[in-house]
Amino acid sequence: MANLEPEKRTLLNHHKEKHFTAGEVIRDIIIGVSDGLTVPFALAAGLSGANAPSSIVLTAGLAEVAAGAISMGLGGYLAARSEADHYSRELRREQEEIVAVPDTEAAEVAEILAEYGIEPHEYAPVVAALRKRPQAWLDFMMKFELGLEKPDPRRAVQSALTIAIAYIIGGLVPLVPYMFIARAQDAVIASVIVTLIALLLFGFAKGHFTGSRPFISALQTALIGAIASAAAFGIARAVQT
């Protein structure tokens, strides 16, 4: 906003748009909690179906939560690092092209602007202005030609921690009944009730933050968890017999 006209700057200062900007964090939470609620839930249901005592179910469940949190967190870290590496490679390539073939890159700017219905006599000054500002030119090409946003350098670590913590929180929910009920066949009923409630609440919140219909999202999330646990329970019963 350094070169913005004073009256326009005043208008922008008085107009504060409220957009949801925590999409990446919400995505990581959704990944962590959804897997955390579903996988340990299915494991606990399967072990309960095999008539394992609550202590065994709890021990196996906690081990799975620990391993799952590490695995999911590492996956989130590697995914974010891959995005950052991809951005860096494309940034270097675009820098080289601006130096090596500036006329071609300027033509690409004109083509991008023309796609928005801007006429040649209107975009020519914009192209000329960008050619005088290499950094602005580079930023324009990265965003509008390649569709890439500069990643936060802390994104990889934040993603790993967010997914891992969310997985732990979600994974502990179906295991709580096994901490207080000694008989697994009784604990699994309480686990099903608690987890389905958690899945419904989580699905509703997910729908709210992602812009989809919260009630539909809640039912879909609970249904997926119920199918996973029922399949695990049924398989354990079938193997035991």
Side-chain angles (χ1 to χ4, degrees):
M1 290 174 54
N3 298 324
L4 200 62
E5 297 173 6
E7 59 271 20
K8 290 185 174 60
R9 184 183 294 110
T10 301
L11 286 172
L12 292 175
N13 288 336
H14 285 85
H15 177 68
K16 300 297 182 181
E17 295 185 358
K18 296 180 180 180
H19 293 293
F20 184 72
T21 58
E24 292 181 337
V25 175
I26 292 299
R27 182 188 65 184
D28 290 340
I29 292 174
I30 289 173
I31 292 171
V33 174
S34 59
D35 276 19
L37 282 170
T38 305
V39 178
F41 181 35
L43 173 65
L47 291 174
S48 299
N51 291 324
S54 286
S55 58
I56 298 298
V57 176
L58 183 59
T59 301
L62 291 175
E64 195 288 324
V65 168
I70 294 171
S71 176
M72 294 289 292
L74 181 60
Y77 177 86
L78 293 176
R81 282 301 309 164
S82 296
E83 290 179 4
D85 292 341
H86 174 64
Y87 182 89
S88 297
R89 285 194 302 271
E90 293 300 323
L91 182 68
R92 288 193 299 269
R93 183 178 297 136
E94 202 63 40
Q95 284 175 322
E96 294 169 357
E97 290 177 351
I98 286 175
V99 173
V101 286
D103 291 339
T104 302
E105 292 298 297
E108 290 178 353
V109 173
E111 182 182 30
I112 292 169
L113 294 174
E115 290 176 353
Y116 288 90
I118 302 175
E119 298 295 330
H121 69 278
E122 295 172 322
Y123 64 61
V126 177
V127 175
L130 286 174
R131 295 190 69 159
K132 295 176 183 178
R133 299 169 176 81
Q135 186 58 51
W137 190 1
L138 179 61
D139 292 341
F140 180 92
M141 299 304 287
M142 292 298 292
K143 180 176 293 186
F144 292 99
E145 182 192 20
L146 302 179
L148 297 176
E149 295 283 350
K150 184 177 181 180
D152 187 338
R154 301 170 297 176
R155 168 69 184 148
V157 174
Q158 289 176 343
S159 178
L161 291 175
T162 302
I163 292 175
I165 292 171
Y167 189 93
I168 292 171
I169 293 172
L172 289 176
V173 171
L175 299 179
V176 169
Y178 294 92
M179 299 177 184
F180 303 100
I181 303 174
R183 190 168 179 269
Q185 286 73 20
D186 296 329
V188 71
I189 297 174
S191 179
V192 167
I193 295 171
V194 170
T195 306
L196 287 179
I197 292 173
L199 286 167
L200 285 168
L201 293 174
F202 169 68
F204 186 91
K206 181 178 68 173
H208 173 75
F209 284 111
T210 58
S212 58
R213 290 178 291 182
F215 287 104
I216 299 298
S217 176
L219 292 175
Q220 288 176 339
T221 305
L223 180 61
I224 292 171
I227 291 173
S229 61
F233 187 88
I235 291 171
R237 280 292 191 184
V239 171
Q240 187 184 30
T241 56

